Amino acid sequence: MQQLGNDGRPAGRGVSMRMGSAGMAVMLVVFLVAVVFAANQNDVIGWLVVIVSLGWLLVFSFVVFSLRSAARKATARLQGHTGFGGSGQSPAAPVAVDRARDLKLDHSFKIVQVQVGVVREYLGKDDGMVERALETIEITSHNARSMMKGSTDGPVEGTVVD
């Protein structure tokens, strides 16, 4: 499984975050230049330009900081619900994984029980059903063992007969 994430970069420093920081710096420079020119000229139009640039700086700051906090919250929620983050994992995530694994193991054991019944039914006959049932039991038990913690074997390939 491929992990979603930051591709080796520190969290929160994507292209959009760098562009937001660069845009914030540009808006700050525009505001400071407007203040310097307005102070040097000391006329009403210069101060109006300062007020307008301050307004744009405040709007831009609000948008950038709102998007950053929303992105952080979305990342935390995604990590908490899907289990990608080690520390941000919700308490219900391991329980759901264990429950799914237990259901799969239960199903595997039910398949084994059915195939044991097939073996008992066809034991005296030379029909090939016993061999197929034993192969199914072998595949199913191997796959069930691979679902258990600590096992590194992959699933066995073959035809499962129900």
Side-chain angles (χ1 to χ4, degrees):
M1 178 187 293
Q2 193 175 27
Q3 183 178 11
L4 301 176
N6 49 17
D7 298 330
R9 294 188 308 256
R13 298 306 302 173
V15 174
S16 60
M17 291 297 190
R18 289 191 299 252
M19 293 303 292
S21 298
M24 183 71 74
V26 168
M27 292 300 292
L28 189 60
V29 167
V30 167
F31 172 70
L32 292 176
V33 167
V35 168
V36 168
F37 279 126
N40 284 341
Q41 298 296 324
N42 201 15
D43 59 351
V44 175
I45 294 179
W47 289 109
L48 287 176
V49 170
V50 168
I51 292 170
V52 168
S53 66
L54 177 64
W56 278 109
L57 177 64
L58 292 175
V59 167
F60 190 80
S61 301
F62 175 74
V63 168
V64 167
F65 291 128
S66 296
L67 288 176
R68 281 186 183 176
S69 68
R72 285 187 187 119
K73 287 178 185 176
T75 302
R77 182 172 290 169
L78 179 68
Q79 287 177 345
H81 286 299
T82 59
F84 286 137
S87 62
Q89 196 173 36
S90 71
V95 173
V97 170
D98 288 342
R99 174 80 174 133
R101 183 180 51 86
D102 290 345
L103 287 173
K104 288 179 181 180
L105 287 172
D106 180 55
H107 180 70
S108 295
F109 292 134
K110 286 178 184 175
I111 291 173
V112 168
Q113 288 173 336
V114 168
Q115 295 304 318
V116 166
V118 170
V119 168
R120 285 190 179 131
E121 182 180 340
Y122 288 95
L123 194 55
K125 303 174 185 170
D126 191 23
D127 177 339
M129 287 294 288
V130 172
E131 189 59 40
R132 290 193 337 215
L134 290 174
E135 182 183 6
T136 302
I137 290 172
E138 181 184 6
I139 291 169
T140 305
S141 62
H142 185 275
N143 290 342
R145 286 190 64 232
S146 70
M147 284 186 266
M148 297 174 129
K149 294 179 182 176
S151 179
T152 58
D153 297 336
V156 174
E157 299 294 326
T159 305
V160 176
V161 179
D162 286 325

